[in-house]
Amino acid sequence: MNMPLKIQKSAGRGKAMLEHPRLVCIETTNYCNAKCNFCPNEVLERGKKTMSDDLYEKIIDDCTRFPLREIEPFMNGEPFMDKQIIPRMELIRRRLPNTKLRLYTNANIMFPDKIDQLIGLGIDHLFVSLNTTDPDEYERVMKIPLQRTLDNLQYLTDPVRKHKVANKITFRMARHKTMPLAEQDDFLEFCKDHKVRPFIVGMFNYKGFIETPLPVPNYPCANITRLDILSNGKVTLCCMDQDGEYELGDVSTHSVLEVHNAARAREYREFHRTGRRTEIEPCDVCNVCSPSLSHMPPLKTMRFALESRHYFMKHKPRGRKAPLAAPMEAPIAS
């Protein structure tokens, strides 16, 4: 969707009323070594690409123009498929020393030599998408061998280097609705043994691409305050819009701030913050449930805070949860 970018002007002063993103997510590559059955990477329509150095450096330069809280050089793909991922993170640290740097990986090709290169980089939080410690289930879900991942994680979590690699390390499990409690408990025990944070979360539906039991919330989504940049420079609506079908702009021709404050991006934020999330595509079918409670009047903020708390208490999208009896749906619609 190519459309002119228009920045909102403040009345009488001619200055832009800019809202900056709390998080910028940069898809340095959308190549992936895994083929997870809950991820749309294998059915991407835009093809596979690694971001050019010039575009990446331009984005980082854009991000120095405002106070950026968090940055993630990752989106649809495995960051260690990008041969330049280490230099790219070094550039983030040099140019954005006060921005929190987070990295997500499946760790299957994060070999010891790569782990050694991460030491001293200043990664604030490293997330490992492990998903299960059952070898058969792991290979069924991710189509890669578990033992290689476990060997890499053993090296990563050795007390000699663990805290030098990242300030925090979290192992993540995507919990499908029929996952046995025993499998979740084994994962939690594995995390305890390796002294890392566990994070279990239910699957999201990627705008309806897969079926999950979580309903669509009414409160604003946390994704409206982030900016997700695909490897070709297009800015997608959010991390659930994997092909950029609902494109917000292009950082090849506009700055990060210009895209984030363009009319289309502001329209989405307005619908969410006025309680009309379910009236705009594709948010009306998306069940991402992390709330956004910023840039709203106090009463509205309180209302949405209560709604999100009720949603989490009722549906338990995070943490250990008993499975449903129904069989698991087919993963991704091709």
Side-chain angles (χ1 to χ4, degrees):
M1 297 183 181
N2 296 317
M3 55 194 307
L5 296 184
K6 297 181 180 180
I7 305 298
Q8 181 181 8
K9 301 292 184 179
S10 59
R13 297 185 181 182
K15 295 183 179 179
M17 298 172 56
L18 300 180
E19 179 180 324
H20 57 78
R22 62 174 175 85
L23 163 67
V24 170
C25 178
I26 309 171
E27 184 187 77
T28 73
T29 186
N30 61 353
Y31 286 98
C32 190
N33 61 310
K35 297 180 180 180
C36 300
N37 65 7
F38 56 84
C39 175
N41 182 272
E42 281 303 296
V43 295
L44 291 178
E45 296 181 1
R46 57 189 165 96
K48 301 298 175 68
K49 180 182 177 64
T50 296
M51 182 177 285
S52 71
D53 290 340
D54 288 345
L55 177 57
Y56 180 82
E57 291 171 11
K58 187 263 184 192
I59 293 168
I60 299 302
D61 184 64
D62 284 352
C63 290
T64 65
R65 312 306 170 105
F66 59 92
L68 178 60
R69 189 194 312 173
E70 302 157 332
I71 191 167
E72 295 174 1
F74 159 84
M75 193 176 160
N76 292 293
E78 165 54 45
F80 287 97
M81 292 289 284
D82 178 4
K83 295 180 180 179
Q84 298 301 313
I85 190 60
I86 302 297
R88 292 187 198 270
M89 288 192 289
E90 290 173 341
L91 181 63
I92 288 174
R93 266 295 151 255
R94 289 197 305 273
R95 301 298 310 279
L96 299 165
N98 299 317
T99 300
K100 290 186 177 180
L101 171 58
R102 297 201 299 245
L103 186 69
Y104 289 73
T105 174
N106 61 41
N108 188 257
I109 56 173
M110 189 178 71
F111 298 114
D113 64 320
K114 294 296 183 185
I115 294 172
D116 288 342
Q117 292 179 61
L118 297 178
I119 292 175
L121 254 182
I123 297 174
D124 292 280
H125 205 156
L126 176 64
F127 288 85
V128 175
S129 296
L130 182 57
N131 297 313
T132 182
T133 56
D134 179 270
D136 293 336
E137 181 67 5
Y138 184 89
E139 295 191 25
R140 183 190 74 80
V141 169
M142 300 181 69
K143 307 298 188 295
I144 49 178
L146 175 62
Q147 189 56 53
R148 188 166 72 187
T149 301
L150 296 181
D151 291 344
N152 293 339
L153 295 183
Q154 186 63 41
Y155 188 84
L156 169 69
T157 58
D158 188 304
V160 171
R161 67 185 61 82
K162 182 171 72 171
H163 297 294
K164 298 177 183 178
V165 172
N167 294 333
K168 298 177 184 178
I169 298 177
T170 295
F171 290 173
R172 188 178 185 275
M173 168 182 267
R175 166 178 44 76
H176 61 74
K177 73 177 188 178
T178 59
M179 180 177 283
L181 283 176
E183 187 176 346
Q184 299 174 53
D185 291 338
D186 287 345
F187 170 81
L188 292 171
E189 188 65 27
F190 182 85
C191 293
K192 181 179 179 181
D193 291 344
H194 288 76
K195 296 181 172 58
V196 298
R197 293 169 172 80
F199 182 56
I200 300 177
V201 62
M203 292 183 183
F204 300 121
N205 64 6
Y206 286 91
K207 314 187 309 299
F209 271 92
I210 63 175
E211 292 187 31
T212 74
L214 291 175
V216 178
N218 291 317
Y219 52 80
C221 175
N223 286 349
I224 63 172
T225 59
R226 59 184 277 168
L227 195 79
D228 293 276
I229 306 170
L230 302 180
S231 54
N232 57 11
K234 305 293 185 182
V235 176
T236 185
L237 174 60
C238 72
C239 55
M240 294 289 111
D241 182 27
Q242 67 274 6
D243 272 312
E245 181 182 359
Y246 298 87
E247 181 188 326
L248 299 180
D250 190 335
V251 293
S252 300
T253 54
H254 294 83
S255 73
V256 166
L257 272 184
E258 284 176 329
V259 176
H260 191 66
N261 287 279
R264 188 162 181 80
R266 289 189 287 107
E267 179 185 28
Y268 275 99
R269 291 198 290 272
E270 180 69 12
F271 267 84
H272 279 247
R273 290 169 179 168
T274 54
R276 297 180 293 154
R277 169 178 176 164
T278 57
E279 296 178 25
I280 189 169
E281 294 183 1
C283 307
D284 58 335
V285 296
C286 181
N287 63 0
V288 170
C289 57
S290 296
S292 172
L293 301 175
S294 62
H295 300 280
M296 293 180 294
L299 288 179
K300 190 158 289 185
T301 301
M302 184 179 300
R303 169 195 156 189
F304 288 137
L306 291 173
E307 285 187 13
S308 63
R309 182 176 180 181
H310 179 263
Y311 183 100
F312 273 71
M313 290 177 64
K314 181 177 180 180
H315 301 292
K316 296 182 173 59
R318 297 175 182 171
R320 182 179 182 271
K321 185 177 181 181
L324 299 179
M328 187 178 178
E329 292 93 347
I332 291 279
S334 59

